[in-house]
Amino acid sequence: NHVLFPAFGKVVFANADIVIAIIQLKLLQGGSGPRPGEESHPPFLVPALALWLFNPYTATISSRGSSDSVSSLCLMLMLLLLERGKILAAGFWFGLATHIRIFPVIYALPLLVHLSDDPLPRSGSGSGSLIFARRWGLQQALRPSRRKLGFSLAAAGTCAGLCLLCYRAEGQRYLDEAILYHFGRFDLAHNFSPWFFIFRNVADDGSRRAMGLAAFLPQVLCIFYFGAVKRSSLPYKLFMITLSFVTLNKVVTAQYFAWYLVLLPLVYPELRVSGALKTAIGLWVAAQVNWLFWAYLYEFEKMEAVLPLVFLSSVAFLLSNMLVILSTDKCYKKYNSYLGKVKVTQMDAIEYVRKVKKRFKEKPSVNKKFLDILKRRRQKTVDTQGVVDLVNSLFKGHKDLLLGFHAFLPNGYEIHEIHEIQVTEPKGKGAAAAGDNTDKPKVRRKRN
């Protein structure tokens, strides 16, 4: 932190925050910036980046000298390289991030789910997204692939090599303090986690360590659910896993918030920000203020009697975090139509056609009409609005099929969760990029 001048480390960490924002911008623009004929500034771009650049936690954590932005930068580079198909280089940065901060090891499962060799859709000069594609399934994670092998070897080689160098320099002390320490850790000092008060009231160190190991169970369950069970994009998986991991951790401090806040700009476009989510976030902030008040009285004013109130404030903060997790998951868009550059996978389209065929197994004429609509659209004998009208009539009463039809709409059109498809026409150059050379569709009014 003091290589060249007293504030050298703080300058490095603050600049890392800026580089992170640049990488977030590239990812939100499709991995390599806007493409010819497409809008360079989607409406979600500025507010998404502001969630990181103008976040008070981001500025405070780096400017006080915490190095969390370095590991966050490594993870952002990993995502950018994955999006560009540079698997070995992405593995290197993941290995480096894990060496700097051991917590990224919790990302192993979602990474294995996404690193399959399934073909991604190709369209014009653009390509399908590896990290924004919706994937899920434990079988997907266990199925071997060249991507997984290359990424794993690069990550494991980098992390193990750096650990070996540190072990040769520091010996057993390095292993104890950098790795093994986390498994049996218990902290008696007050922090956002209510575990500190529980450990204070358990005298036996062996019991404390056993309880500390048991505390990993709910974290593992969250990793399994968001990493393999929940169908979602890779940034969303990483965000929810980190948020739940920090929430349920045995020790929680403000700098841990940066671990998931760095992923928030990539997740924001996938969320429908509801009133319930805004309320949950407000309660989350209020719970922090409440905790800081009682912690100030305990630590700075030396009022020992308020320690139980610090504990109760930690419980309230835990509950507020759980409410944020549940509210965020409810606000996650069922279909990722938010990025003009991001395409649904070929598997999504095939699964949708199979779903239609299965739904109308007793009515083959419906399935035949649907395939005929797709054929007419490919031949450009009907415009987007005409397709929407036909599908609305064909799938009337089948809300899930209407929402799922987003896979066949041109780039930039959005499906809303209603009883009838509502098409929102892209503006400006985005409409031309949608590939619709016939009549421009009009915005349909919502009908419940």
Side-chain angles (χ1 to χ4, degrees):
N1 281 354
H2 303 80
V3 176
L4 299 178
F5 48 90
F8 175 75
K10 296 180 180 181
V11 172
V12 172
F13 305 148
N15 278 279
D17 290 334
I18 298 174
V19 177
I20 286 171
I22 295 173
I23 297 174
Q24 291 168 341
L25 173 64
K26 290 183 177 296
L27 286 169
L28 291 172
Q29 289 180 329
S32 58
R35 301 187 181 106
E38 292 181 329
E39 291 186 74
S40 58
H41 299 293
F44 60 77
L45 195 58
V46 172
L49 294 175
L51 290 172
W52 174 254
L53 277 175
F54 301 108
N55 194 309
Y57 292 101
T58 302
T60 304
I61 290 170
S62 293
S63 60
R64 78 176 185 179
S66 296
S67 63
D68 296 270
S69 60
V70 176
S71 56
S72 296
L73 176 59
C74 293
L75 292 172
M76 286 295 105
L77 286 169
M78 176 200 74
L79 290 175
L80 181 63
L81 291 166
L82 282 177
E83 184 71 349
R84 293 179 175 180
K86 299 179 180 179
I87 305 301
L88 294 179
F92 165 79
W93 287 108
F94 179 68
L96 180 58
T98 306
H99 172 72
I100 296 173
R101 287 279 193 182
I102 195 173
F103 83 88
V105 73
I106 65 178
Y107 300 151
L109 179 59
L111 283 168
L112 289 175
V113 170
H114 278 258
L115 286 170
S116 68
D117 284 333
D118 294 332
L120 291 171
R122 301 280 168 179
S123 177
S125 59
S127 62
S129 170
L130 189 150
I131 68 170
F132 286 107
R134 303 288 177 95
R135 294 186 185 274
W136 82 105
L138 190 59
Q139 291 182 342
Q140 192 86 351
L142 298 177
R143 186 182 299 125
S145 72
R146 291 171 295 176
R147 284 176 174 170
K148 292 175 185 175
L149 179 61
F151 184 89
S152 300
L153 289 176
T158 301
C159 187
L162 292 171
C163 288
L164 181 60
L165 289 176
C166 293
Y167 178 75
R168 293 191 64 178
E170 298 293 336
Q172 187 63 32
R173 176 169 167 262
Y174 167 73
L175 292 179
D176 291 337
E177 297 187 11
I179 301 175
L180 301 178
Y181 162 74
H182 296 280
F183 294 96
R185 179 184 184 182
F186 57 87
D187 201 326
L188 303 182
H190 61 289
N191 61 85
F192 283 117
S193 173
W195 277 104
F196 85 90
F197 194 77
I198 299 173
F199 289 141
R200 274 173 174 258
N201 289 277
V202 177
D204 181 55
D205 284 352
S207 299
R208 288 171 174 171
R209 289 190 174 88
M211 294 172 65
L213 290 174
F216 281 117
L217 179 59
Q219 292 175 313
V220 171
L221 293 176
C222 289
I223 292 171
F224 179 75
Y225 173 73
F226 290 114
V229 177
K230 175 78 174 182
R231 181 180 183 180
S232 58
S233 66
L234 182 57
Y236 183 80
K237 281 180 167 60
L238 303 187
F239 175 79
M240 294 301 287
I241 285 174
T242 312
L243 177 57
S244 57
F245 185 85
V246 170
T247 296
L248 300 170
N249 205 30
K250 300 186 293 292
V251 180
V252 180
T253 63
Q255 71 186 69
Y256 294 179
F257 302 164
W259 298 356
Y260 55 80
L261 288 176
V262 71
L263 295 160
L264 184 56
L266 305 182
V267 173
Y268 170 76
E270 295 190 89
L271 300 177
R272 297 189 187 278
V273 183
S274 65
L277 180 57
K278 293 177 181 178
T279 301
I281 294 172
L283 291 173
W284 179 75
V285 174
Q288 288 181 65
V289 174
N290 176 63
W291 185 93
L292 290 170
F293 172 74
W294 297 111
Y296 171 81
L297 293 180
Y298 174 74
E299 184 173 349
F300 292 95
E301 300 297 332
K302 309 300 180 185
M303 297 173 60
E304 296 287 338
V306 303
L307 185 60
L309 295 176
V310 176
F311 166 68
L312 292 176
S313 299
S314 295
V315 173
F317 184 65
L318 171 65
L319 295 175
S320 71
N321 273 274
M322 294 176 67
L323 182 61
V324 169
I325 292 172
L326 294 174
S327 301
T328 302
D329 203 38
K330 286 183 179 179
C331 290
Y332 187 60
K333 294 179 182 178
K334 191 172 182 180
Y335 301 106
N336 57 343
S337 59
Y338 70 95
L339 282 178
K341 276 66 76 175
V342 175
K343 308 291 184 182
V344 292
T345 65
Q346 187 177 12
M347 290 173 57
D348 290 330
I350 294 174
E351 286 176 7
Y352 181 80
V353 174
R354 288 175 178 171
K355 186 176 182 179
V356 172
K357 186 176 181 181
K358 185 178 179 181
R359 179 72 57 85
F360 298 103
K361 183 171 58 176
E362 305 298 328
K363 299 179 180 179
S365 60
V366 175
N367 185 58
K368 184 177 179 181
K369 289 179 181 178
F370 174 63
L371 294 177
D372 182 62
I373 292 172
L374 298 182
K375 182 178 178 180
R376 291 173 61 188
R377 184 67 189 96
R378 284 196 301 269
Q379 295 174 346
K380 297 184 178 181
T381 58
V382 61
D383 64 6
T384 302
Q385 189 62 62
V387 170
V388 168
D389 291 336
L390 291 170
V391 171
N392 270 328
S393 175
L394 192 64
F395 293 158
K396 187 176 182 180
H398 299 271
K399 183 180 176 181
D400 57 327
L401 294 181
L402 293 176
L403 289 172
F405 192 66
H406 80 290
F408 304 98
L409 289 177
N411 182 21
Y413 293 79
E414 184 177 357
I415 293 293
H416 300 278
E417 295 186 13
I418 56 175
H419 297 291
E420 180 178 279
I421 294 181
Q422 178 185 357
V423 175
T424 302
E425 178 187 356
K427 298 178 181 179
K429 296 180 180 179
D436 191 354
N437 296 323
T438 53
D439 297 335
K440 292 183 179 180
K442 298 178 181 179
V443 177
R444 293 181 61 91
R445 295 188 177 275
K446 180 175 178 180
R447 297 180 184 174
N448 291 320

